[in-house]
Amino acid sequence: MSSPILSIENLNVSFKTSKGIVKANEDVSLQIREGEILGLIGETGCGKTTLGKAILRLLSGKAKLEGKIMYRDKDLLTLPEKEMRLLRGKEIGIILQNPSACLNPVLSTGKQIAEIYRYHEIMGKKEAEKKAGEMLELVGISSSRGCDYPHQFSGGMLQRVMVAIGLAIRPGLLIADEPTKGLDPDTKLQIAELIVGLVRKENASMLLITHDLELAGRLADRISVMYAGEIVEMGMAEEIISSPKHPYTLDLLRSLPGKGFGTVSGHPPSLVSPPSGCRYHQRCRFRFEACSLAHPALRELEGERFIRCLLSEKGRRKETAAQPLLTLQPVLRCSEEGIWRC
Amino acid sequence: MTDVIEKTEITEKAYLAEKRPDLEEFGKNKLAVSGLMLIAVLCILALFAPEIAPHDPFAQKLDRRLLSPSSEYPFGTDELGRCIFSRVIYGTRISLGIGLLVVAVTSVAGTAIGLTSGYRGGLLDEVLMRGVDIVMAFPNIILALLIAGLLGPGFSSVVLALAFTQWPAYARLVRGQALSLRKRAFVEAARALRPSGFYIMRKHILPNCMEPIIVLGTLEIAHVIIFASALSFLGLGIQPPVPEWGSMLKAGIPYLRTAPHLTFFPGLMIIFTVFAFNFAGDGLRDSLGQPADQEVLAR
Amino acid sequence: IGEDKEGTAQGAGSGGSSQELVVGLGSDVSSWYLDTFAAGDARFVWSQVYETLVRLDSDLNITQGLAESWQTPDNGKTWIFHLRENVTFHDGTPFDADSVVFSYSNQSYVRQAVLKPVQSVEAIDNYTVKFVLAKPMPLPYYLTHVAWPVMGPGCLDSEGNFVKPVGTGPFKFETQTKDQEIVLTRNEAYWGEKSLLDKVTFKVVPEAATRVIALETGEVDMIIKVPEYDVKRLEAEEGIQIHRKLTTFTDFLQFNCDKSPFNDTRVRQSIAYAIDTESLVNEVLEGIGEPAGGRPYSPVMMYSDPDLETYTQDLDKAKALLEEAGWKDSDGDGIRDKDGKSLHVTLVVSKGVWAARHNPMAQVVQGTLREIGMNLEIQVLDEGAINKLESTGDFGMILRSGYFVWGPYPKHFFVHHSASPYSHYHNETYDQLVNEADMTVDVQEQEELYHSLQAFVIEEVPAYYLVHEEKVVATGSSVKGYTISSEDPWLNLSGVYLERK
Amino acid sequence: MALLKVENLKKYYYSGLFKKEIHRAVDGVSFDIGRGETLGLVGKSGCGKSTLGRTVLKLLDPTSGSIFFDGQDISGLKGSDLKNLGTRMQIIFQNPESCLNPRMRIYDAIAEPLRLHRLFERDEERGRIQELIEAVSLSEELLFRYPRELSGGQLQRVAIARVLGMKPEFIVADEPTSMLDPLVQAQILFLLKKLQTEYRISFLFISHDMRVVEWMSDKVALMEGGKIIGFR
Amino acid sequence: MWEYIAKRLAMVSIVIAGVTLVAFSAMYLAPGDPAEVIALARYGQDLSAGQIETLREAEGLDAPVHVQYLIWIGHLLRLDFGKSLVTSEDVLVEILQKLPATVELAVASLLISLLIALPAGILSALRKNTLLDNSCMFVSLVGVSVPNFWLGLLLIWLFALTLHMLPSFGYGSLKHFVLPAITLGTSLAAVTARLTRASLLEVMGQEYIVAARARGLDERTVLFRHALKNALLPVVTFAGMQFGYLLGGTVIVETIFSWPGIGKLLVDSIFARDFSMIQGCVLFIAVLFSLSSLAVDILYAVLDPRIRYDRRD
Ligand SMILES: Nc1ncnc2c1ncn2[C@@H]1O[C@H](COP(=O)(O)OP(=O)(O)OP(=O)(O)O)[C@@H](O)[C@H]1O
Ligand SMILES: Nc1ncnc2c1ncn2[C@@H]1O[C@H](COP(=O)(O)OP(=O)(O)OP(=O)(O)O)[C@@H](O)[C@H]1O
Ligand SMILES: [Mg+2]
Ligand SMILES: [Mg+2]
């Protein structure tokens, strides 16, 4: 097992708002190993983006960060801004979630890609623009559109431009925040393959934040599941997808359109005043009294499997997830058969 | 699903409290509060000038000309032996009046025109902006002469003359912002609600281009006060010996080297006023609902 | 772009021993020809280039100019001038009777204004000219003014368009850069005493404060029209010399005698008693000038009556006169009233070069008149607006700087003459006195007439005369040999030379 | 009769500062949607789906073609003529992160259409907003934040709540669940479906998830290069 | 865009017509008989009524206002600007003589103002609420509150008299530019700096700035490539307006520094009711203003590609 390239220890991120303090990440610990793809899935608003941005210290001044984020041997939270800047983009890249807001409206997309080359690899204008054009082609946009401005692009195209920017100089660690959302199946596949292909080729690592469980299951080596600011389950991708142990993961998988479209009643919890005990207890089908009282800790099970659930502590796990809900078969087949195609 | 999900309720209290955080934020902003306090001081000076001023602002004592500040004359005396302190205090009435009135009128009118022009675009934009060009291309004195000719002298013609020359600045500034803002996605989203153009301008465009308006408005006060004194020689109203800061400054110019206090104190009052309104303006801007400022990165 | 050596404050000062005088001027010369009046400071430059037939010495006595002698055979209707010989214009053409005829016969301005009574100008021989007038008048006095000098025919091209200034003066016109500078060089062929200066440069510096600083920095050697409030300070400064001399001009308050309240002589007299012209001079004008106390013209003028009894401040008398005229403070607000109308009058002050001096004067007048119960409103207006008020009669008083003053000759009395477009006073006796005085050539008679006119003005107060203006010239340390003269435009540079360190 | 009928609709973009370029984003599209029906719209990224959706709503002026809504040709209407369509046809934008006024709190953003069209009295308004945010599974604490302070998925649901508040008859849903996790997505989709049957709402449903589109739609149109190349 | 520029250039004539018409009528509405004022300026105080009437007829001042205006337009179409009513100098020649000085001063002061304002505004935005920001704010507030005439004299006093570094007046060499340009530049700079700061603060809070930082770009690149272009819109507007206004000349500064510019020429002509000169000046100023306003509008489109003028979709 290779050493971790990034290790987050007990990270707490909170925002101050007029309605109280939003605890967007609570006691998050995870590790990304050299050459590993870690999938991060979870409920919307549970703090995935926050985690991704926290690594690069891109959160607004209102955010309060505690804990440790070790990149190789540097603690990113105490690193001087100057050194941080050297890491950003070059060593740790990020594909941000909201392309329409993250692209500068007054610079042509080509320029926005080219500037990375010009800045980080110090090449001439011509050369950089040529490389930017290549990058655009790579994500399926004709390079002639490089001189167009963001407002002239479609949503999916902007998303791909963001990917192009994130991949431009092949960082050692890539944080990809929903890199394939808003893409049609073909394109999605192509982009996913592109990203993973490049990451693997460079033996880089990646934190893949996504709502697309199938994608996560297929691409990631390991998966972390977040709920309400906490990591609730973590383990090898295949295992998580095929035999989820946390009730939330289970419910998540059941809600897939192809898997029954099952919903769970109740709302995502407030991050200002999270529910007592287990944060999922109100919606959990397997809850029992203790769930509302005791806040479960993240426990390591066998085989690098972590879980934050009282059930697992009590050894009642077997009852819960007897049937694998989502096997990886169809996903793995997808590229050959193309079930993504309509 | 028997568990009671804590029913969140937007209670009356919470709602009201949240609807007014702007004021609260304003209150928390020390600068803004001090700005308001300075404005209050100015207003008090204007209202109670007769009570505050130690001397008659018009009383000349030719044997006590150009005295330096002393306990009897806190700001000294001017070239005709008048108490500068008293004149400065009385001057608050006129200078502040003109400054406030002109800035209020022009910023509102100019903003309205700029918004309309920028948001609606097309022919209307062309017409309005050519109008702005015409007004701006005018040397101010010609306009002032015109107004003097039409209205005769008086406080109102000063205000009108100044207002007429100053509004285009706001119009142009706001139009530029509006041109850009109208293409933003959130404006299109608002348009999908099919409100009137006026509504979009008021609710969506205006709040997003308040900053330059506030900056210009709060700084314009000084400009207006000084400019007002320049108009006085056209017979537009404020005539000597009426104390007015701009004119006092001007009258003190010959003594710039021998008795600098003649220009210093009226100048100080203008600066004071500008500070007051800038502080308050900054506070206003912060309470306009500023999206979280992201420029400081968290550690 | 001009020479860089003058680009700094020291530039002019380091010019070595060259005799190049730099003079700071308030306004540019916009006209060099007789068809328009040499307005503003133009006359200072004109007087270096052009000369007149008759001149005034530094004490305003009439002396020879380009004419050596003159006589009137018929008590002022015809004047014969005998011209100086061996004088040449700057372009080399000789000065003779023809050039005098050229200058005084065909010029629209001269013909229509001051010299309107001149019917014809003829050359009797090469060096004798005859002026025939419509009515008797003391023509030589009128001809002393540099605004209508003798110009060479070379001023015009063959089509009658003005090309360049050609005069007979001690300096020749060299170049002019609009609103920046005028350069004159010494006229080597000057008939009189040649100037010691090689070159005179007039720099146009409209702002008085800048002009003063330019003198202090040495960028200019000499400035004219030094503001009153700077005189004391400059006097104390090392190297700078202040030259002062009483001028022929007198500031006055002109009343609108056609309308209440100033149609009442007592009201006008009351104002005369109220205003303390002495403190005006001493306090407002920093002691520059001489209090007039109602005297219509300066002591340096011809026929100025040395025994004239002028006004001194007497507030009680002023109040009594108002009471007598029916103005009483019946409602106790401190402002007098009569027939329900309160005593409220306007004082018009012109904007422009005089404003700096007139504004405080007007305010002092305002303050004083308040003490006798008169409410004065000051209006600072431009010339056009003042004209309008004059024609509508919509004013009470106008504060004017002296005008209608040509040399020492008291033409000024025409100001209150009914025929004058600016008169707001209509009195037959006065008109008659003025006409008579102007048509008389006999010195004795004239003096008497003018003395009685002065007494009349003191008594009747068609205007209240405030201050006899004093002119102030300041020179830098290197200027030597300058004496100030009373002659308008008082910039006699003969004998001036430079001694630079 | 179809609620919405689109005939030969074209929308060209013109760009370039000094030299003109024409981009045919929608190039002759015809379809109709009945009351209570959903037309799914799928196609490759950049094929013109969003443009079509925005043009149908007249947020973009069509280059040519006609749009009939409830029997009325709205393609030529301007400004105030469209006003009464405000609550009847609506759109859920593809990019929620930039379609909310950055200076408007979430509460006001959701309340805006209600106030604008006087759908509720002021005192009912709060109750209504309460309902709306609950329906889209948002918590109350978000209401008084600015858009910047919400996560992508939360913003997307705000955009949905805002539109649903008006109870429109026709909604263009441009990838309305692209940023939601499957659990919430399912909730939202059920909600839409429920509302559709309750109020006979019609949808033009743009999505890339075939299973979602199929689940939602009565008919699916496939778009390519600005044209509809087939229905299913 | 070409189309738009052509349209705008055509529009300039409308602006000119408007400006000159109003200027013409304004001068007539202004108190005072123009013939009399002109006669006074031409002939001095010793005037006769006949002289005024002759002048009125000779200069066509007896015709009704609109006729005079049309005549003037007629001449203008033949590129005849007429002669000054006071000095009989050719209006065009006079204006062309003064224009370079005005344009030079305008450019210089605009440059100075931007040179001060942009760095000051940017720095105080970047260091918001620090000592630096506060002192920038303090200086700029003092800057706007100080009138030109005061500052101008103070600078002369300091740099010409006390330090002997610069000439106190005049036009010509580079040194002559410094004081007038600083006098004008600083008062403009104050507003521009504050605008820059406010606008930049707003932009620096945008998501794409975070995104730019995420790419590892250093603050300089983020600022100059990403933030500034977005923030410049109001600054460009204001600077454009000020430039137009400076091209109209500034009487006070021109007077203080004996700068032979168009501003003083115009004001003098106004007081002398020198119609042909006023009209000439106003016309030039209007053209210059229209051009600067066109330039600003084009700059908008360059700065923000979403703003395009020829077609509105
Ligand atoms: N600047 C902020 N101020 C206050 N709260 C914030 C801020 N930014 C994010 N939050 C809150 O923090 C929580 C986590 O947000 P985050 O963007 O990390 O969610 P996410 O997991 O990425 O969700 P999604 O999948 O919807 O993108 C959310 O509840 C959000 O409302
Ligand atoms: N304002 C514009 N100017 C020029 N071209 C534009 C403009 N807006 C969109 N386009 C182009 O029109 C085409 C269609 O865009 P549209 O947004 O409709 O695509 P879409 O089908 O919604 O794609 P996606 O699934 O990626 O959102 C794209 O090629 C886009 O680049
Ligand atoms: Mg997110
Ligand atoms: Mg789209």
Side-chain angles (χ1 to χ4, degrees), chain E residues 15-249:
Chain E
V15 173
I16 289 169
V19 175
T20 52
L21 182 66
V22 181
F24 214 82
S25 27
M27 293 319 297
Y28 269 87
L29 286 168
D33 171 10
E36 191 176 339
V37 182
I38 294 165
L40 260 177
R42 242 197 233 187
Y43 305 135
Q45 288 148 338
D46 201 354
L47 271 184
S48 67
Q51 249 173 323
I52 297 173
E53 289 317 309
T54 325
L55 187 144
R56 196 191 305 280
E57 267 169 49
E59 300 296 353
L61 293 170
D62 48 349
V65 186
H66 60 277
V67 176
Q68 286 187 46
Y69 181 69
L70 290 178
I71 291 175
W72 180 77
I73 291 277
H75 284 294
L76 193 66
L77 292 179
R78 274 171 266 138
L79 284 181
D80 174 10
F81 285 71
K83 287 196 183 328
S84 158
L85 297 183
V86 175
T87 62
S88 352
E89 287 205 41
D90 195 282
V91 168
L92 189 62
V93 171
E94 175 98 25
I95 290 177
L96 289 182
Q97 239 171 30
K98 299 266 161 93
L99 211 55
T102 300
V103 173
E104 287 163 18
L105 183 58
V107 172
S109 8
L110 193 73
L111 280 183
I112 287 195
S113 91
L114 292 180
L115 237 52
I116 300 173
L118 289 181
I122 291 169
L123 272 179
S124 46
L126 292 184
R127 309 258 178 283
K128 192 187 171 198
N129 294 340
T130 59
L131 183 69
L132 183 85
D133 177 25
N134 291 338
S135 26
C136 276
M137 165 151 163
F138 182 84
V139 171
S140 67
L141 293 191
V142 172
V144 280
S145 313
V146 167
N148 276 341
F149 51 85
W150 198 83
L151 182 64
L153 286 175
L154 207 72
L155 288 177
I156 294 182
W157 177 72
L158 185 65
F159 287 100
L161 186 59
T162 311
L163 299 175
H164 283 278
M165 279 164 59
L166 295 163
S168 60
F169 73 96
Y171 165 74
S173 75
L174 211 56
K175 279 181 170 172
H176 287 110
F177 271 98
V178 181
L179 293 184
I182 288 181
T183 306
L184 278 174
T186 42
S187 57
L188 301 186
V191 182
T192 317
R194 301 285 295 158
L195 275 178
T196 310
R197 175 184 181 270
S199 177
L200 198 60
L201 272 183
E202 164 123 34
V203 170
M204 290 304 268
Q206 300 290 329
E207 199 68 27
Y208 52 77
I209 298 298
V210 178
R213 286 191 182 126
R215 278 168 234 167
L217 305 181
D218 64 355
E219 278 308 294
R220 252 200 23 234
T221 319
V222 170
L223 179 69
F224 288 105
R225 271 182 70 87
H226 290 266
L228 217 48
K229 204 174 162 199
N230 281 287
L232 235 39
L233 208 60
V235 179
V236 163
T237 314
F238 190 75
M241 275 182 332
Q242 292 310 322
F243 190 57
Y245 147 81
L246 286 174
L247 285 175

Side-chain angles (χ1 to χ4, degrees), chain B residues 236-258:
Chain B
L236 261 180
I238 306 141
Q239 297 283 357
V242 176
E244 182 248 313
W245 299 338
S247 305
M248 289 174 72
L249 252 176
K250 234 183 195 159
I253 284 297
Y255 305 94
L256 202 55
R257 291 164 69 185
T258 45

Side-chain angles (χ1 to χ4, degrees), chain B residues 7-15 18-19 21-22 25 184-196 199 203-205 207-209 211 285 287-294, chain D residues 54 57-60 82-83 85-87 89-91 93 95 98-105 107-108 112-113 115-117 122 125-126 129-130 134 140 143-144 146 148-149 162 166:
Chain B
K7 203 56 170 170
T8 48
E9 190 64 59
I10 315 171
T11 59
E12 185 84 13
K13 221 176 102 210
Y15 173 75
E18 284 298 338
K19 285 314 281 178
D22 299 351
E25 212 144 280
R184 295 271 290 269
F186 72 86
V187 174
E188 185 182 337
R191 271 213 332 256
L193 307 177
R194 317 274 181 216
S196 62
Y199 176 86
K203 276 285 199 183
H204 293 277
I205 312 263
N208 284 289
C209 56
E211 319 239 323
R285 196 177 59 203
S287 66
L288 270 178
Q290 250 199 324
D293 36 357
Q294 209 127 23
Chain D
R54 287 153 72 200
L57 251 72
K58 287 277 297 169
L59 290 173
L60 297 174
L82 288 166
K83 188 157 183 175
L85 295 177
T87 52
M89 48 199 316
Q90 270 306 331
I91 178 166
F93 285 94
N95 44 352
S98 44
C99 76
L100 290 173
N101 186 341
R103 284 180 199 271
M104 219 181 223
R105 288 164 191 272
Y107 181 96
D108 295 311
E112 185 182 19
R115 294 178 188 162
L116 196 61
H117 295 287
R122 271 285 154 118
E125 183 186 286
R126 259 172 280 146
I129 288 172
Q130 181 77 43
E134 256 173 50
E140 183 244 353
L143 279 179
F144 297 101
Y146 289 102
R148 164 82 32 91
E149 298 166 337
R162 186 171 138 108
M166 286 179 274

Side-chain angles (χ1 to χ4, degrees), chain C residues 317-344:
Chain C
K317 196 141 189 188
K319 285 178 195 160
L321 279 164
L322 281 181
E323 291 278 332
E324 211 182 295
W327 293 97
K328 297 184 169 59
D329 186 11
S330 60
D331 52 7
D333 62 350
I335 304 297
R336 290 168 192 275
D337 49 73
K338 181 170 142 183
D339 310 330
K341 268 180 63 185
S342 67
L343 190 49
H344 177 94

